[in-house]
Amino acid sequence: MTDPALIPAPRTVEHPADGPRHLTLDARTTLDAGPGTESTARWLRTVLGAATGLPLPDGAGPGAVRLRISPDVARTDGPEGYRLTTGGPGAAAVIEGGGPAGVFWGAQTLRQLLGPEAYRAAPVGGGARELPCVTVEDRPRFGWRGLMLDVSRHFTPKDGVLRYLDLLAAHKLNVFHFHLTDDQGWRIEIKRHPRLTEVGSWRARSKWGHRASPLWDDTPHGGFYTQDDIREIVAYAAERHITVVPEIDIPGHSQAAIAAYPELGNTDVVDTAALTVWDTWGVNPNVLAPTEAVLRFYEGVFEEVLDLFPAATSPFVHVGGDECPKDQWKASPAAQDRIRELGLADENELQSWFIRHFDRWLTARGRRLIGWDEILEGGLAEGAAVSSWRGYGGGVAAANAGHDVVMCPEQHVYLDYRQAPGDEEPVPIAYVRTLEDVYRFEPVPPGLSPEAAAHILGTQANVWTEVMENRSRVDYQVFPRLAAFAEVAWSELPAPEARDYPAFEGRMTTHYRRLDALGVDYRPPAGPYARQQRPGIIGRPREGTPPNV
């Protein structure tokens, strides 16, 4: 039996056959935090203390919320598994996790059971809270349950990033892919290369709508995170058992960096000194030059990145590797000399050389490289993992070759895609991907051998922000679909066609109230409010069913 309010759906929920069906958390409720659960205790005091006004002091006894790490749960359900029992003998609630993360996910379920008011920032209707008596046993399907947020096209200030980390945690998502650099903006302070943010973090204007739109927003746009901002974000994520994957895009999507340091570009074919931070969208022809000087420059960048994103919380570093046009390399005598010098077959192998260099560099420093599936072109760097975005195909090829894969096919989990047909959807992009479409997404394609399927680390949804100019627009595109995605990533669901979408919709009735309490500006089930629409700003809708490639 599944409680109708819980998202993502847990493996099992049992209600007591007899005895009380509810208990009350009140001023007598205490927190009894065992070793290794201290961060969850801090989180519970912060969020439940704010929502209820209850002090939740330290203490054991029958009124306590007891937090424990359990070897038994670890053996059966792994470090992220948990068992939550409310109303049992000796404590008001007991959360036993296979590790600290499991305890935290159990606490998230406890918060859901307390009702939507538990998501508010101050008490509504008194402090005491009714809690149903249940036993929940749960564990995630995938170890990588992620969201990628593009802060380059439109900047998300630090407090907005922290807010999204809380929203990920509320949905039991545990990877935050932080897309920090692109043609339209460089968002991370690098002290040895200050012009990356002095110049590269600001553009003079922005295309308003799809790149085919005739409209412009002439307000300068930009911003960046200081190194202390990054440290704060990483620490905040770690408290919520979220891994942060920084992305520094190479060798394409680099015009912001080239605008700051023109010598990074292909100066023998382009007047790179005339380039500015790009103000429109799409695939940019200005890519990094394949020189030793550029390698040294980015080694310096990555040295600072590794210091800001410690291995314990950020074992993976994303290097992009996508959408790198080869036209400048084909026209560049210096690039052609490099191809001959290295004994490479063509420009695809030159890009592979670039990626392999940083694969070796990161591996020597205890990190793992991950890149978009274009890094397969010209030969996949040994040890590299793949974010499979153009469909399943790149991920299947990589998994069959023994490489780890994160499945994020654009046709299924790109949340910039429009949510419904018709003219009401704001700046409609690509195919329609409804809440139900996302709920029926299957990360592991059929036909993979068990050995290859074992290389599917998990899945993530991607949020590209070209047409999302502020927090409300991001919220609208991400929610409610992220709730469906979270269930796909966490829960053991049947085959897509057999999934009980009406039951999920029923649970969403309660979940919308949670999102309301959190101030999430989601797309309403009946369609966008007038204030959420963008009439007259063209997108690029595509009709029909997206190809399953």
Side-chain angles (χ1 to χ4, degrees):
M1 176 180 181
T2 298
D3 190 291
L6 296 180
I7 290 177
R11 293 175 66 84
T12 64
V13 178
E14 294 182 1
H15 297 263
D18 51 28
R21 290 305 179 104
H22 296 87
L23 62 96
T24 300
L25 301 186
D26 56 26
R28 296 167 294 179
T29 302
T30 59
L31 270 181
D32 177 10
T37 71
E38 295 85 359
S39 65
T40 296
R42 283 193 296 272
W43 179 84
L44 279 170
R45 282 199 181 92
T46 300
V47 297
L48 294 189
T52 65
L54 301 178
L56 301 174
D58 289 331
V65 175
R66 184 186 303 157
L67 311 177
R68 294 291 186 271
I69 292 175
S70 166
D72 289 339
V73 173
R75 278 192 293 272
T76 58
D77 296 315
E80 290 192 285
Y82 68 89
R83 180 167 56 238
L84 166 63
T85 303
T86 60
V94 178
I95 301 174
E96 300 171 285
V103 175
F104 182 68
W105 304 133
Q108 291 286 354
T109 298
L110 178 72
R111 188 188 192 188
Q112 289 199 11
L113 291 171
L114 286 167
E117 293 77 14
Y119 289 79
R120 296 195 176 275
V124 174
R129 288 290 182 270
E130 196 173 70
L131 182 66
C133 295
V134 293
T135 297
V136 180
E137 295 192 5
D138 204 7
R139 66 171 181 256
R141 179 184 179 192
F142 292 109
W144 185 302
R145 308 179 302 279
L147 178 79
M148 187 226 68
L149 180 62
D150 165 23
V151 298
S152 295
R153 274 50 177 265
H154 280 101
F155 181 60
T156 298
K158 183 196 69 179
D159 60 348
V161 174
L162 301 181
R163 173 178 178 263
Y164 256 83
L165 290 171
D166 280 328
L167 290 171
L168 264 63
H171 293 82
K172 298 186 173 74
L173 298 172
N174 70 340
V175 176
F176 178 59
H177 177 165
F178 205 5
H179 184 82
L180 288 163
T181 73
D182 218 297
D183 300 300
Q184 295 84 1
W186 184 285
R187 305 293 179 215
I188 179 172
E189 179 187 24
I190 302 297
K191 290 187 180 296
R192 72 188 72 186
H193 301 307
R195 287 176 58 84
L196 287 171
T197 47
E198 291 170 358
V199 174
S201 69
W202 286 91
R203 60 179 182 263
R205 63 177 187 169
S206 303
K207 176 62 71 172
W208 187 224
H210 183 261
R211 63 180 176 271
S213 167
L215 303 176
W216 294 90
D217 179 349
D218 288 320
T219 305
H221 181 86
F224 67 94
Y225 310 102
T226 68
Q227 294 204 346
D228 281 345
D229 290 339
I230 294 291
R231 292 185 180 98
E232 181 183 357
I233 289 166
V234 170
Y236 196 86
E239 281 275 301
R240 288 147 184 79
H241 301 278
I242 294 172
T243 293
V244 182
V245 179
E247 180 178 357
I248 306 296
D249 217 331
I250 55 173
H253 286 294
S254 296
Q255 181 159 321
I258 297 169
Y261 291 95
E263 65 270 22
L264 297 175
N266 294 282
T267 57
D268 54 348
V269 292
V270 178
D271 179 11
T272 57
L275 295 177
T276 60
V277 178
W278 212 26
D279 54 14
T280 189
W281 323 123
V283 178
N284 188 299
N286 295 299
V287 302
L288 297 175
T291 67
E292 291 297 321
V294 169
L295 296 183
R296 301 293 87 74
F297 182 97
Y298 274 87
E299 286 171 359
V301 169
F302 281 116
E303 282 179 5
E304 295 192 28
V305 167
L306 297 192
D307 180 62
L308 297 170
F309 295 89
T313 53
S314 299
F316 285 90
V317 174
H318 208 292
V319 300
D322 61 315
E323 296 179 331
C324 179
K326 309 300 190 295
D327 296 340
Q328 289 184 1
W329 288 351
K330 289 177 180 177
S332 164
Q336 293 302 309
D337 287 345
R338 176 65 87 174
I339 289 173
R340 286 189 290 273
E341 173 191 335
L342 295 170
L344 304 177
D346 54 21
E347 291 77 18
N348 283 338
E349 287 197 5
L350 185 61
Q351 177 171 339
S352 179
W353 165 81
F354 213 110
I355 299 299
R356 285 175 184 270
H357 173 85
F358 285 101
D359 179 58
R360 292 190 298 269
W361 191 93
L362 290 166
T363 298
R365 288 155 182 81
R367 306 299 180 95
R368 291 192 63 189
L369 179 146
I370 185 168
W372 302 109
D373 56 52
E374 284 95 330
I375 68 173
L376 291 162
E377 298 168 2
L380 184 60
E382 185 178 352
V386 169
S387 300
S388 187
W389 76 273
R390 291 180 292 181
Y392 290 109
V396 169
N400 283 331
H403 293 271
D404 289 337
V405 174
V406 176
M407 281 293 185
C408 48
E410 59 172 324
Q411 302 86 354
H412 301 276
V413 289
Y414 267 36
L415 300 185
D416 48 315
Y417 279 30
R418 58 190 173 133
Q419 301 187 63
D423 295 332
E424 292 184 336
E425 289 302 306
V427 200
I429 298 296
Y431 296 101
V432 171
R433 293 287 85 190
T434 65
L435 182 65
E436 182 172 359
D437 289 330
V438 174
Y439 191 67
R440 297 192 187 280
F441 164 58
E442 172 50 49
V444 180
L448 278 185
S449 68
E451 294 79 13
H455 284 288
I456 307 298
L457 298 176
T459 183
Q460 75 180 31
N462 293 338
V463 184
W464 300 104
T465 61
E466 288 92 337
V467 299
M468 301 178 214
E469 73 279 5
N470 56 36
R471 188 177 99 169
S472 291
R473 280 288 294 123
V474 174
D475 278 4
Y476 180 92
Q477 293 298 134
V478 172
F479 288 99
R481 292 183 293 182
L482 192 70
F485 173 79
E487 187 148 310
V488 168
W490 177 279
S491 305
E492 291 283 351
L493 298 177
E497 64 277 5
R499 292 176 188 171
D500 191 347
Y501 180 71
F504 173 76
E505 273 192 307
R507 286 181 283 125
M508 281 300 298
T509 301
T510 298
H511 201 66
Y512 284 121
R513 293 172 58 208
R514 296 185 189 118
L515 297 177
D516 286 334
L518 288 167
V520 176
D521 201 9
Y522 57 83
R523 182 188 190 276
Y529 300 122
R531 63 174 174 78
Q532 293 174 317
Q533 298 174 27
R534 296 292 186 274
I537 304 173
I538 67 169
R540 190 190 181 189
R542 302 182 71 180
E543 304 302 331
T545 302
N548 195 25
V549 294

